[in-house]
Amino acid sequence: MNLKICHLYPDLLDLYGDRGNILTLAARCRWRGIEPDIQQASLGEDLDFMSMDILFIGGGSDREQGLLVQDLMRREDELRKAIENGLVVLAICGGYQMLGKYYQMANGERIDGLGILDVWTIAGTKRLIGNVVVELNQTILEGDSQRLKTLVGFENHSGKTHLGEGVSPLGKVVFGNGNNGEDSEEGVRYLNVFGTYLHGPLLPKNPHLADLLLELALKRRGIDTLLLNLDDRLEELAHKVMVKRLLKQA
């Protein structure tokens, strides 16, 4: 068995160790006897979104975001169809913003997004920086009481993202800022698309989220099976220590 994992624009979108998310997915596949087929694609390269199992888009600057949106616009229909077909997507920071309707810069100029997600982003006057703890929505946990119920990560963004209709946040911020520092929401979920501002990278700190992405990718393939349990005691201990430390500061 193999899973096709595509890292989109790795040369332009890779802030704060975002590549670590790909390494984590690949490792957690191999440890279970699943062969990860890692693909990298950049500007102008042909892509077959329907054939992918997981698509990862990392974070980058406003300038890079403007360039990449134009590149993605020419294949928006294909990406949209794949997402409606259940493609698993993890989008971080700038990648998250690009999937939305638009990003309004501080000078009032708007960078149109793909409009796949009903979210929009407006540049703020200060950066939202620091560690974050998020209490996950129960729908994200999918009834699995054994999963960790929080996400931890690091944010650094000036854009304030707001959610519209048909999407839901990943969870409630209990430490940090999240989407906009105003409504206590962090990230977004739409079908199998997960958008978030959490860097760090995200998945090594949250192996339960990595496994959820893998499970969803397998289900899309028609393989409805539980993943082999891994010994995540050290990862979960590190996660819980971070949560405890930050909540003491709250």
Side-chain angles (χ1 to χ4, degrees):
M1 185 188 304
N2 73 336
L3 282 178
K4 294 182 179 179
I5 303 171
C6 179
H7 188 176
L8 192 57
Y9 308 128
D11 51 338
L12 297 168
L13 299 179
D14 188 24
L15 287 180
Y16 310 116
D18 283 341
R19 178 173 170 269
N21 294 306
I22 294 290
L23 297 177
T24 298
L25 289 171
R28 296 184 75 80
C29 280
R30 291 193 183 100
W31 294 338
R32 294 179 166 107
I34 302 170
E35 184 60 32
D37 179 3
I38 308 299
Q39 305 171 349
Q40 295 186 345
S42 196
L43 285 167
E45 295 184 26
D46 291 332
L47 292 170
D48 181 3
F49 291 112
M50 289 294 288
S51 72
M52 298 175 188
D53 294 304
I54 300 177
L55 173 65
F56 173 68
I57 313 173
S61 69
D62 293 349
R63 174 184 173 277
E64 290 158 343
Q65 187 173 328
L67 292 172
L68 301 181
V69 164
Q70 294 303 313
D71 186 60
L72 277 175
M73 284 290 189
R74 65 187 181 87
R75 41 199 177 194
E76 174 194 340
D77 288 345
E78 289 81 2
L79 177 56
R80 188 184 297 271
K81 287 176 183 176
I83 286 173
E84 295 298 323
N85 184 252
L87 174 64
V88 177
V89 180
L90 176 61
I92 309 288
C93 199
Y96 169 23
Q97 294 169 355
M98 285 194 299
L99 294 178
K101 291 181 173 179
Y102 63 83
Y103 181 96
Q104 182 171 304
M105 302 176 68
N107 62 7
E109 179 185 350
R110 283 191 180 186
I111 300 174
D112 288 333
L114 297 178
I116 293 174
L117 303 179
D118 188 7
V119 307
W120 59 95
T121 304
I122 300 174
T125 57
K126 68 174 184 177
R127 297 199 70 81
L128 306 178
I129 305 175
N131 290 304
V132 182
V133 178
V134 177
E135 184 179 280
L136 279 167
N137 279 340
Q138 289 300 308
T139 54
I140 304 294
L141 299 172
E142 299 201 339
D144 188 345
S145 60
Q146 300 304 309
R147 292 191 197 274
L148 291 169
K149 296 175 174 57
T150 50
L151 293 177
V152 296
F154 180 83
E155 64 180 345
N156 185 351
H157 58 105
S158 60
K160 294 186 174 185
T161 297
H162 302 271
L163 308 189
E165 301 295 326
V167 299
S168 59
L170 292 183
K172 176 184 177 182
V173 176
V174 291
F175 186 90
N177 297 285
N179 282 337
N180 51 54
E182 299 164 3
D183 57 20
S184 298
E185 294 180 346
E186 209 303 302
V188 69
R189 182 174 183 182
Y190 171 71
L191 299 177
N192 288 339
V193 177
F194 296 78
T196 177
Y197 276 111
L198 301 187
H199 296 276
L202 173 66
L203 296 184
K205 297 181 177 181
N206 301 280
H208 51 306
L209 180 59
D211 282 354
L212 176 59
L213 300 181
L214 295 175
E215 289 168 5
L216 292 171
L218 290 172
K219 285 181 181 178
R220 180 171 176 251
R221 286 268 201 100
I223 306 170
D224 192 0
T225 183
L226 293 176
L227 289 172
L228 177 70
N229 286 333
L230 299 176
D231 184 356
D232 289 330
R233 285 175 293 179
L234 288 178
E235 291 88 342
E236 291 180 359
L237 177 60
H239 180 106
K240 291 175 181 178
V241 167
M242 179 61 73
V243 171
K244 184 176 180 180
R245 180 184 301 165
L246 294 175
L247 294 188
K248 279 185 177 181
Q249 300 175 25

